[in-house]
Amino acid sequence: MAYLDEFPANRFKYVRYCGVYEHPSVWSRLRLWCTVILLFIFVPLQLTYLIENPVSDLMVTCEEIMLMQVCMIVVLKLNLFVSHHDEMYELVRAFQNTQNRVRPHEFRRFVKCNQIHAKLARLYVIGTTIVAILYVLNAVVSSLTLSLQHDKLHFVTPMNFPYDYQHPVVFAISFCYNIETMVTTMFVSVTIDTCYSEMANNLAIHFDIVRQRYAQLDLSAGWPFADRELMEVILYHSEVLDLAQKMVRLFQQPVFYLLLLISTILCVLGYEFVMFSNIYKVIQVVVMAGVMVGQAIIYTYNGSVICDRSLNVSEAIYGTNWYDARTSVRKQIYICLMRAQKPIVMKGGFIEASLPTLKKILSSSGSYITMLMSLESDN
């Protein structure tokens, strides 16, 4: 089926820019490691800038901390294709193999899900591209303004560096480095986040189909028909549970750090929105805040959906006419019911990816913004 060739939507095409391929060549591996090195040196550069330029401007300090946190999250996402390359592609193949248990009239739901996520990926690229363009535009406007004020050429890069980059060659290298890190950040985030969302939606659909099949079982039917139908559903349910566990293990690290750091990132963006008067910076902050909130929603909403759908299977099992079945079948039903009553919880470390977690994130972000505003007023 054509859908299987496009699962997840666009088959990681954006991270090919970073050198990620299912069967990498020497050049693609070299490109991937260059990308990793470029991202790894970003945080030390920003940290060195803060140490060497202890400024009293709280907004500059917060901006640098926010950029370092975003870079750390992107590094962890890219690590899925570096340290867990084989596991990532094996998970994709496992999802594709599970589609063999889907009946033709049920398959339309997966195709629609794929189409929606292809559009989501494009919208995500547009949003992150707007942020990158505004960073560059703000740097260009600042360069022109300072050059006119001082009657000499003055360069400004989209992000700060701990060294003097006023020489044209150094500026060109620094500027290109900024562009490269922004493009890499955009493509890695788009790929991992939409991949997670589509896999989570597929899991939710699988759990819903399993629930429907349990509900349609007639355990009073004659042997071996009832036993065969029950075993097919049990095997399908087992495959879906195995997929869910693999997905939880694979994504737990980026999920943990994203949900851990996003409160402070949103706090800084909210603070900048209140303090900035530059229209370009305000638009940049609004769009970036939308992208970051969108990331949090992707992980928390899908986590809640999977938890609810996996738990709904137990209600369908209990609703079967198990009391009409033979003793051996009742034992199987009991074991299935016990397992289904344990929901699939998408989490990283001690942080659960769920809507209550999203509520706490947004609430704590508001509290942090209030704290920063009080610090600004004290100064």
Side-chain angles (χ1 to χ4, degrees):
M1 298 180 182
Y3 156 75
L4 296 180
D5 296 328
E6 290 296 325
F7 175 84
N10 301 309
R11 291 287 304 186
F12 305 141
K13 73 175 184 180
Y14 292 112
V15 285
R16 290 174 190 167
Y17 173 83
C18 306
V20 175
Y21 288 86
E22 184 173 4
H23 305 291
S25 63
V26 174
W27 289 110
S28 64
R29 286 194 182 96
L30 181 62
R31 169 60 179 150
L32 177 59
W33 282 108
C34 286
T35 301
V36 171
I37 292 170
L38 287 174
L39 288 176
F40 262 108
I41 64 176
F42 182 84
V43 173
L45 283 173
Q46 301 303 308
L47 191 59
T48 305
Y49 175 82
L50 281 178
I51 294 172
E52 293 183 355
N53 300 273
V55 292
S56 58
D57 191 344
L58 181 61
M59 193 149 36
V60 174
T61 303
C62 290
E63 173 80 7
E64 296 301 314
I65 294 173
M66 184 266 292
L67 290 174
M68 286 189 286
Q69 290 178 331
V70 171
C71 183
M72 289 167 60
I73 293 171
V74 172
V75 168
L76 290 168
K77 289 178 179 179
L78 182 61
N79 186 54
L80 292 175
F81 290 110
V82 178
S83 301
H84 305 283
H85 176 274
D86 294 338
E87 293 96 321
M88 176 64 83
Y89 283 96
E90 284 173 7
L91 182 60
V92 171
R93 286 191 290 271
F95 267 97
Q96 293 174 334
N97 292 335
T98 306
Q99 303 296 337
N100 295 327
R101 295 190 177 275
V102 177
R103 294 163 186 166
H105 70 278
E106 298 165 336
F107 201 76
R108 291 192 296 271
R109 299 174 64 180
F110 294 95
V111 175
K112 184 177 180 181
C113 176
N114 178 263
Q115 293 170 346
I116 290 172
H117 282 84
K119 294 177 182 178
L120 174 64
R122 288 193 288 271
L123 289 174
Y124 203 154
V125 170
I126 291 171
T128 49
T129 301
I130 290 172
V131 174
I133 290 173
L134 288 171
Y135 263 106
V136 173
L137 185 61
N138 185 67
V140 171
V141 171
S142 297
S143 296
L144 292 174
T145 303
L146 291 172
S147 297
L148 291 173
Q149 288 176 351
H150 297 91
D151 291 328
K152 66 176 183 179
L153 196 60
H154 191 95
F155 296 117
V156 176
T157 53
M159 295 163 196
N160 295 315
F161 289 96
Y163 53 80
D164 183 10
Y165 52 80
Q166 293 306 310
H167 189 282
V169 176
V170 178
F171 168 74
I173 294 172
S174 302
F175 193 87
C176 290
Y177 172 75
N178 273 171
I179 297 296
E180 175 68 17
T181 53
M182 286 190 288
V183 172
T184 299
T185 297
M186 174 175 66
F187 286 160
V188 171
S189 295
V190 168
T191 300
I192 295 299
D193 294 344
T194 55
C195 170
Y196 176 92
S197 180
E198 185 171 4
M199 286 182 174
N201 274 266
N202 271 255
L203 270 180
I205 296 172
H206 280 302
F207 276 122
D208 199 42
I209 293 173
V210 169
R211 178 191 62 80
Q212 292 173 357
R213 292 190 184 179
Y214 271 120
Q216 293 167 0
L217 282 177
D218 181 10
L219 299 177
S220 63
W223 182 88
F225 178 77
D227 290 48
R228 185 174 66 250
E229 288 290 311
L230 176 61
M231 286 306 301
E232 286 181 2
V233 180
I234 290 174
L235 289 173
Y236 184 16
H237 190 197
S238 176
E239 281 189 27
V240 177
L241 289 171
D242 185 54
L243 276 178
Q245 294 299 336
K246 288 179 179 177
M247 187 173 169
V248 171
R249 288 194 298 269
L250 186 61
F251 284 92
Q252 62 181 344
Q253 195 175 53
V255 167
F256 173 74
Y257 284 99
L258 173 67
L259 298 181
L260 180 68
L261 298 176
I262 198 152
S263 291
T264 53
I265 293 173
L266 291 176
C267 160
V268 171
L269 291 172
Y271 173 70
E272 289 180 340
F273 175 77
V274 174
M275 300 303 296
F276 277 136
S277 57
N278 185 327
I279 185 62
Y280 299 116
K281 290 294 291 183
V282 171
I283 296 174
Q284 170 194 310
V285 166
V286 170
V287 177
M288 188 168 182
V291 170
M292 297 309 298
V293 171
Q295 287 188 27
I297 291 174
I298 284 174
Y299 289 92
T300 55
Y301 171 76
N302 286 308
S304 288
V305 170
I306 290 175
C307 182
D308 292 341
R309 296 287 178 85
S310 64
L311 199 56
N312 288 343
V313 174
S314 64
E315 297 178 5
I317 295 174
Y318 185 76
T320 61
N321 57 337
W322 52 267
Y323 40 80
D324 292 332
R326 293 178 295 108
T327 303
S328 60
V329 174
R330 289 183 187 180
K331 291 180 180 179
Q332 289 179 311
I333 289 292
Y334 178 73
I335 294 171
C336 292
L337 180 60
M338 291 290 290
R339 177 59 188 88
Q341 286 177 333
K342 182 182 179 182
I344 297 297
V345 179
M346 308 299 292
K347 62 188 300 185
F350 59 84
I351 302 178
E352 181 180 326
S354 62
L355 289 176
T357 300
L358 177 63
K359 182 180 177 181
K360 292 177 183 177
I361 288 171
L362 297 177
S363 176
S364 59
S365 298
S367 301
Y368 296 152
I369 292 171
T370 304
M371 181 186 69
L372 284 179
M373 294 298 294
S374 65
L375 291 175
E376 182 69 26
S377 61
D378 290 342
N379 294 332

